[in-house]
Amino acid sequence: AYPVGQRLRVLYDDGVWYPGRIRCQRLVTVAEGAVEEKVFDILLDDGVTELTSTIPDPDIEIVTGPDPEEVPSVTSAAGVEEIDDKVSHIGVRRRDGYWVAELKRAGQTLKLGHFDNALDAARAYDSAALKYQGEKAKLNFEQSRQNFEEVAYYLHSRVRVLYDDGVWYDGLISGYDYKIKEYMIRLEDDTRFTSALPDPDIQVTSSSTIPPKGVIA
């Protein structure tokens, strides 16, 4: 009754309804005796949050009426209908089984890399668009703006890192690896490593920006 691509809204504990769509539907075994139940995998419009639920559900509201974005669907080898990764994203195109992210800037095309799926490519585009175009950037996912603000807060900050010998070592956050989602840190002795932040063993001692929501200075 609910096709792949069906628009809906999901009610979270904060009392806010978040829009999304059905990504795929499948059968799962819920009890002994091979009793199966249909569940729906849902992707919210932030492009990140995913959940699985039966429908109807009191916290899920089906959105009726025309959808401004048509989403094609395919049937996988396992017989599960799912959203095609060829759905249009800004700055993303498919090529020979992978996805390419590109950004046009000052008459040139910046190659942002190859990705296994369209969503990762779209997130890479968003990050580059925010870096070069700032607040006026047109994004695939609004969540990317908050993520970028968090990354920008930590970049080029001075840090102290606690090692197993109990000594704090000074260093600098030199960059961010978007593929593994970790910051690149270089200590004063030229030791280099990556880490997610915040981390209890890494203290940010200086930053040139105001921390965005959700980041503790």
Side-chain angles (χ1 to χ4, degrees), residues 56-126:
D57 182 287
D59 292 333
I60 296 177
E61 180 180 280
I62 298 297
V63 176
T64 59
D67 191 334
E69 178 185 4
E70 294 184 2
V71 179
S73 64
V74 297
T75 301
S76 68
V80 178
E81 191 179 17
E82 56 189 14
I83 291 179
D84 192 343
D85 268 328
K86 289 185 290 187
V87 59
S88 177
H89 291 96
I90 304 171
V92 176
R93 60 187 176 86
R94 189 169 185 176
R95 179 178 180 184
D96 298 332
Y98 57 86
W99 285 261
V100 178
E102 301 172 333
L103 175 69
K104 295 189 181 300
R105 179 172 178 263
Q108 297 182 334
T109 299
L110 301 180
K111 305 291 185 181
L112 306 176
H114 298 164
F115 301 86
D116 294 331
N117 59 77
L119 287 179
D120 285 345
R123 294 184 188 113
Y125 171 86
D126 283 3

Side-chain angles (χ1 to χ4, degrees), residues 128-181:
L130 284 164
K131 177 180 179 180
Y132 291 109
Q133 300 171 359
E135 295 182 355
K136 296 181 179 180
K138 185 175 182 181
L139 305 178
N140 290 293
F141 312 116
E142 190 57 34
Q143 179 67 30
S144 297
R145 197 176 304 278
Q146 179 179 343
N147 295 343
F148 181 81
E149 290 173 355
E150 293 177 4
V151 171
Y153 168 68
Y154 287 117
L155 276 180
H156 310 301
S157 297
R158 299 291 303 177
V159 295
R160 300 173 68 224
V161 181
L162 179 63
Y163 267 66
D164 293 337
D165 59 6
V167 177
W168 289 91
Y169 293 87
D170 293 329
L172 175 76
I173 297 176
S174 59
Y176 184 76
D177 190 323
Y178 283 93
K179 286 192 174 181
I180 63 173
K181 296 180 173 61

